[in-house]
Amino acid sequence: MDKLKEVLYGEIEEFRKEGHKFLNGELNVMQFKHISGGFGVYAHRGGKEFMIRLRIPSGITNVDEMYKVYDFAKRYGLDKIHLTTRQAIQLHGLSIDEVCDLMIEALDNDIYTRGAGGNYPRNVAMSPLSGVDPKEEFDVTPYAKAVGNYFLERIYTYKLPRKLKVAFSNSEYDAAHCTVQDLGFVAVNKDGEKYFKIYLGGGLGQNPRKAVKYYDLIEAKDVLYYVEAMVSLFKAEGNYENRNKARVRYILERMGEKDFLECYKKHIEEVIEKGNLEIQVEDKICNKKGIEVEINNPRIINQKQTGLYSVYLHPIGGQLLANDLKAILDTIKNFEDIEIRLAMTEGVYFRNLNGNEARELLELTENMGATTNLEQSVSCIGVPTCQVGICNSQGMLNSIMDYFKDREYKSDVLPRVYISGCGNSCGVHQIGSIGFTGKKKRVGEKIEECFTMFAGGSFGVGKTNLGNSYGDIPGNKIPEFLYELSKAIEVSDLKFEEYLEEKEESFKEIVNKYAV
């Protein structure tokens, strides 16, 4: 990594110059975006402030690193940090010089931003409970880390048509959404040996599609061959001329499934012939002594290690207050073998807690975040922050929370809602039971913020489904719509998914009451 750091340090001052050119009007928004994305930096709407995305490898972090993130937030006057849907951390509202200074100090502390945006391999996603999940096939952590390091070591050399998303799931529950990624690896334990199923050519956003399954299981140790083969295929077959057709799924669409898989197989054979990409890993063993407790709280998860627990915290909209983060770190810093994993749901897991530690952390965080499924909804950052956003997704989420709170409604019958402020699906709305994506639409005499409502989405091996569109609802009507829907589900005594299947006509009637 020494060579990598030397290169990255050298890039930062040149990037600072480009940032000032943008501020001075010498570069337009798109010109700067094409430069800044590769550094994990994006201009806010209005072009005066900036966001930087810290590339937290597969969401794996620790107390010391999170103290550094807290230090960044306090030093630059930020009252919160944003946890993303790809297990990264975003800091918003910085000047270009603050961004560059922060980038240098982050590198000093082995925190990278390079390739956190732009046409690069993105953060390798992973099931956040891998290694402690009682239902997992095996712990995919070392494999996700190896692929992440492989990408990072050569990040500045990539010339890809667009971004490349890779993910690892430890079971068919598919917490890392492998079945809608450019390349996904799902763990399989067969006769005590470790294998992966491979899924490729999936993606959300504009023209979404489910990934297709590769022919064979592969030995886990060979995973880098299949990663490098996808990079090779993407470079050879990707569309460098039309950005809107540049993702892997468009190659699959153009070739058809059979020819696409054969093309991938050809690239695999070429990479394997070169050799030297096998991964050798050792299983991590946690020897911490557990303490068993009986706690009735949906945020506590029993680990496969007896007497150890994970506690989940979901700050509303992924917006974790800096002072709350500090309070948590001050509490857990003396806990033995504590692990921190960011989730793809804009939340965070604190792992390897004995029963007493879990109880203490649950009590501390009781009022720091969500409890019901609805409160644990996911929202991209949206307007007024996002440069390409169309609607205020975070504002709408808060309006939903306020509406239900004002009515003291606590029945936990609605599922988690996924909200994207535009069609890019940063809020993964297309695989949520209920999803919304923002648009502007004429309603009467005015152009209003509206959201297309999707329902019936899901993820999981053999269960992935892209939600169906049921119409456009004005943003200011969505809290009322969800409240009426919640009351109807409560009366039906069904789960939402059952309600949608058994009473779809009633569901449509409620939607149509608010749709425009």
Side-chain angles (χ1 to χ4, degrees):
M1 291 289 187
D2 288 343
K3 180 184 176 183
L4 171 66
K5 280 191 172 185
E6 183 180 342
V7 171
L8 299 187
Y9 281 127
E11 293 179 329
I12 293 172
E13 291 311 313
E14 286 303 312
F15 174 65
R16 191 191 301 266
K17 293 177 185 176
E18 296 299 318
H20 282 285
K21 285 183 182 178
F22 170 66
L23 291 171
N24 294 334
E26 299 173 53
L27 298 174
N28 64 34
V29 169
M30 289 309 298
Q31 287 171 325
F32 179 68
K33 183 180 177 183
H34 289 155
I35 298 168
S36 71
F39 290 88
V41 176
Y42 290 92
H44 282 196
R45 186 175 295 248
K48 301 300 181 184
E49 294 183 324
F50 301 83
M51 174 273 282
I52 188 166
R53 183 179 296 144
L54 306 179
R55 189 178 177 123
I56 307 300
S58 300
I60 303 167
T61 184
N62 55 57
V63 170
D64 289 342
E65 187 169 79
M66 291 306 291
Y67 264 126
K68 179 53 65 176
V69 172
Y70 167 77
D71 288 344
F72 289 151
K74 297 306 287 186
R75 188 181 319 157
Y76 296 110
L78 311 181
D79 62 353
K80 57 183 173 290
I81 66 173
H82 181 63
L83 309 180
T84 78
T85 54
R86 203 165 184 85
Q87 299 171 302
I89 293 173
Q90 291 178 178
L91 303 176
H92 289 270
L94 302 169
S95 71
I96 193 64
D97 287 309
E98 288 172 338
V99 159
C100 294
D101 293 345
L102 192 155
M103 204 183 301
I104 292 169
E105 188 173 351
L107 266 180
D108 291 342
N109 289 274
D110 297 321
I111 302 173
Y112 295 82
T113 68
R114 194 67 165 89
N119 302 335
Y120 294 89
R122 296 296 180 82
N123 197 20
V124 176
M126 181 179 67
S127 303
L129 291 176
S130 191
V132 302
D133 182 357
K135 297 181 180 179
E136 71 183 3
E137 298 288 314
F138 62 86
D139 183 7
V140 300
T141 302
Y143 302 96
K145 287 174 68 175
V147 172
N149 288 337
Y150 182 81
F151 282 148
L152 189 58
E153 286 168 359
R154 47 193 50 78
I155 195 72
Y156 59 93
T157 69
Y158 285 110
K159 304 293 182 185
L160 302 180
R162 277 201 71 188
K163 58 190 169 188
L164 180 69
K165 292 186 174 182
V166 178
F168 285 80
S169 285
N170 64 344
S171 73
E172 292 199 345
Y173 173 72
D174 193 17
H177 307 165
C178 290
T179 51
V180 287
Q181 302 280 343
D182 296 306
L183 181 62
F185 297 91
V186 178
V188 175
N189 188 318
K190 183 179 179 183
D191 300 325
E193 299 295 327
K194 297 174 182 176
Y195 297 89
F196 284 115
K197 291 179 185 176
I198 302 178
Y199 292 86
L200 57 161
L204 301 178
Q206 304 294 342
N207 302 309
R209 73 175 298 149
K210 295 187 287 187
V212 298
K213 183 173 172 285
Y214 186 61
Y215 306 121
D216 308 313
L217 293 178
I218 69 161
E219 292 185 55
K221 67 179 179 62
D222 292 331
V223 68
L224 277 178
Y225 289 111
Y226 293 82
V227 169
E228 182 57 29
M230 175 54 74
V231 172
S232 176
L233 183 155
F234 196 23
K235 288 179 178 177
E237 302 292 342
N239 191 330
Y240 285 87
E241 303 301 321
N242 184 352
R243 179 176 175 80
N244 293 325
K245 295 287 185 179
R247 296 294 299 277
V248 172
R249 60 182 177 270
Y250 293 105
I251 305 174
L252 169 57
E253 183 180 272
R254 187 184 81 236
M255 290 184 171
E257 182 175 335
K258 181 180 178 182
D259 288 348
F260 177 73
L261 291 175
E262 284 300 311
C263 181
Y264 182 53
K265 185 177 180 181
K266 172 177 169 289
H267 283 276
I268 293 166
E269 291 168 352
E270 292 173 354
V271 173
I272 288 176
E273 189 175 344
K274 296 177 184 177
N276 201 34
L277 287 179
E278 291 87 356
I279 297 174
Q280 301 299 327
V281 305
E282 293 184 9
D283 291 334
K284 183 177 179 181
I285 299 174
C286 179
N287 294 313
K288 181 173 179 177
K289 185 177 180 180
I291 299 175
E292 294 190 69
V293 293
E294 290 291 333
I295 300 175
N296 183 22
N297 190 308
R299 295 197 293 121
I300 189 170
I301 296 98
N302 289 12
Q303 295 186 184
K304 65 182 181 182
Q305 297 87 358
T306 303
L308 295 184
Y309 305 86
S310 293
V311 166
Y312 180 64
L313 173 64
H314 188 105
I316 302 297
Q319 304 281 49
L320 178 58
L321 294 177
N323 288 339
D324 286 350
L325 174 60
K326 175 69 159 49
I328 293 168
L329 296 175
D330 287 346
T331 297
I332 67 174
K333 65 183 179 183
N334 294 319
F335 290 179
E336 179 190 353
D337 292 335
I338 183 75
E339 294 181 349
I340 305 174
R341 298 279 179 96
L342 306 184
M344 294 181 74
T345 49
E346 297 183 325
V348 55
Y349 287 94
F350 300 93
R351 313 186 341 162
N352 291 349
L353 305 165
N354 65 38
N356 294 336
E357 293 166 342
R359 180 181 283 108
E360 183 178 354
L361 187 58
L362 282 168
E363 290 173 356
L364 174 68
T365 58
E366 182 178 3
N367 297 313
M368 291 183 182
T371 53
T372 67
N373 285 322
L374 182 62
E375 289 171 343
Q376 290 184 9
S377 292
V378 169
S379 170
C380 71
I381 201 68
V383 172
T385 302
C386 180
Q387 188 72 251
V388 299
I390 298 174
C391 293
N392 186 350
S393 45
Q394 288 274 328
M396 192 184 82
L397 175 60
N398 288 322
S399 294
I400 295 168
M401 299 300 107
D402 290 343
Y403 195 92
F404 278 71
K405 184 178 179 180
D406 289 346
R407 284 151 186 78
E408 298 182 350
Y409 187 82
K410 297 180 180 178
S411 295
D412 196 9
V413 298
L414 282 180
R416 179 180 279 149
V417 172
Y418 295 81
I419 306 168
S420 298
C422 70
N424 286 338
S425 199
C426 294
V428 296
H429 61 272
Q430 289 151 325
I431 54 171
S433 294
I434 297 177
F436 294 98
T437 180
K439 66 194 300 183
K440 290 290 180 69
K441 185 172 183 176
R442 181 174 292 279
V443 180
E445 297 299 316
K446 297 191 300 182
I447 301 295
E448 292 190 14
E449 283 196 359
C450 294
F451 288 80
T452 302
M453 192 237 174
F454 292 82
S458 59
F459 58 89
V461 173
K463 300 178 181 178
T464 299
N465 190 49
L466 301 176
N468 295 315
S469 170
Y470 282 86
D472 299 335
I473 302 176
N476 59 9
K477 294 291 185 182
I478 287 175
E480 184 181 354
F481 158 70
L482 288 175
Y483 183 72
E484 182 171 341
L485 176 61
S486 183
K487 300 286 281 187
I489 296 169
E490 186 178 12
V491 170
S492 75
D493 202 28
L494 298 169
K495 293 181 179 179
F496 171 74
E497 290 76 13
E498 296 168 339
Y499 180 85
L500 183 62
E501 182 177 350
E502 297 180 23
K503 297 181 176 293
E504 187 176 17
E505 290 307 312
S506 296
F507 174 72
K508 287 180 178 178
E509 286 180 15
I510 297 174
V511 174
N512 291 338
K513 181 177 176 180
Y514 296 91
V516 293

